Amino acid sequence: MGLFDFLTGGSGPDKALKLKSKVTQKYGEPSTRQKALQQLGEMKYPEAVTVLLSRFTITVDPLTTDADEKEHTFELIKHFGQDAVAPVSAFLKSSDQATSWALRILQELLAEDALMGVIADTLQHLSSRYTRDPEKKVVLLHHVLGKQDPRVAPAVLPFLEDMSDDVKIAAINVLGPLKYEPAREPLLKLLTSEDTARRVQTVALAALAESGFGVQGYQEKVQAALVEPYSLDKDGRIQRRP
């Protein structure tokens, strides 16, 4: 630490980290929080982005002030440009909060291919760890819905075994249109298992019909699980009648 750092309270990164308590202060004068946000926005350190991101993890009253501050924080982080990508990506992976904000920032800063790489990596990380709140997984899965990127299906497949039915349903909706062969048997197991919730079975049935996968090895169980308007054709594929 140089003499200037000593006189002014530490190096730039240290100053940024010390402002976190003000950024996440839910009560007291809003001006204190807002001044801290502005100070961080004027810094040029990745640590400043990390602290700014913490503003998305709290909600303050009134909600109009909360919304205005979060939009301002979003703009401040955007102005860091590519220097913000690493800390925002790390936040997306590590935090169970503010997933939508992190994605929105990355959408502004990254090309589609790079963004999908970050999301796929985050999904792979999430698939191997337990989370009490499924919202983060659902938000990420909804974001990759309809994407044809080859990294999506392998990253999404493990979520067919998630404890949350909402996560299972989101994963099924992603995988159905992709016609990803390794998903065939896991989808059939979900459809035919007695432990699978009815709403999950309904979505799995639709996904299997859309994918065009055969039901070989599960034909009798699938037949028992069919409901209108679905049926099995002569080739052992689920069809949806008009």
Side-chain angles (χ1 to χ4, degrees):
M1 181 183 292
L3 177 62
F4 181 77
D5 289 336
F6 177 78
L7 294 173
T8 55
S11 65
D14 288 337
K15 282 185 181 180
L17 295 173
K18 286 178 180 178
L19 287 171
K20 185 173 181 178
S21 60
K22 294 181 179 180
V23 167
T24 55
Q25 177 182 297
K26 295 182 67 172
Y27 308 105
E29 287 296 321
S31 58
T32 300
R33 191 173 54 246
Q34 292 162 4
K35 181 180 178 182
L37 292 171
Q38 193 60 43
Q39 287 176 309
L40 289 160
E42 293 168 1
M43 295 180 181
K44 299 300 178 187
Y45 308 101
E47 291 83 359
V49 175
T50 300
V51 177
L52 282 167
L53 286 163
S54 68
R55 177 60 187 87
F56 296 124
T57 67
I58 65 165
T59 301
V60 302
D61 291 323
L63 292 180
T64 51
T65 297
D66 186 69
D68 288 345
E69 286 185 15
K70 284 177 177 171
E71 284 294 337
H72 182 53
T73 302
F74 170 76
E75 293 297 331
L76 289 173
I77 294 174
K78 260 178 55 179
H79 288 152
F80 280 78
Q82 292 303 300
D83 290 338
V85 171
V88 176
S89 299
F91 176 85
L92 180 65
K93 182 178 287 188
S94 63
S95 175
D96 288 336
Q97 299 173 282
T99 303
S100 295
W101 281 106
L103 284 174
R104 185 179 163 196
I105 294 166
L106 290 173
Q107 281 181 285
E108 292 285 337
L109 299 177
L110 293 175
E112 180 72 8
D113 182 70
L115 175 62
M116 293 307 299
V118 172
I119 296 174
D121 182 57
T122 303
L123 285 170
Q124 288 174 339
H125 172 73
L126 281 176
S127 67
S128 62
R129 60 188 287 264
Y130 169 74
T131 53
R132 282 177 24 181
D133 186 352
E135 181 181 0
K136 178 178 182 177
K137 296 175 183 177
V138 171
V139 169
L140 287 166
L141 290 167
H142 283 171
H143 192 85
V144 298
L145 183 64
K147 305 294 186 183
Q148 296 296 319
D149 191 291
R151 294 167 289 188
V152 168
V156 171
L157 183 61
F159 293 98
L160 294 180
E161 299 180 3
D162 197 85
M163 294 179 64
S164 164
D165 286 346
D166 288 338
V167 173
K168 286 190 185 86
I169 288 170
I172 292 167
N173 283 331
V174 172
L175 290 167
L178 295 179
K179 308 182 192 308
Y180 183 57
E181 178 62 31
R184 185 190 81 90
E185 191 158 346
L187 286 170
L188 286 166
K189 286 181 178 179
L190 273 179
L191 173 62
T192 58
S193 172
E194 294 179 357
D195 296 328
T196 303
R198 170 55 64 181
R199 66 192 185 103
V200 177
Q201 288 178 319
T202 300
V203 180
L205 195 53
L208 284 161
E210 184 173 13
S211 68
F213 292 142
V215 302
Q216 292 80 5
Y218 293 83
Q219 189 152 347
E220 288 186 13
K221 290 183 177 180
V222 169
Q223 190 69 59
L226 291 175
V227 293
E228 288 291 340
Y230 297 98
S231 63
L232 274 182
D233 67 13
K234 60 182 176 58
D235 295 321
R237 301 179 192 278
I238 299 171
Q239 288 191 327
R240 179 188 176 102
R241 289 190 288 271

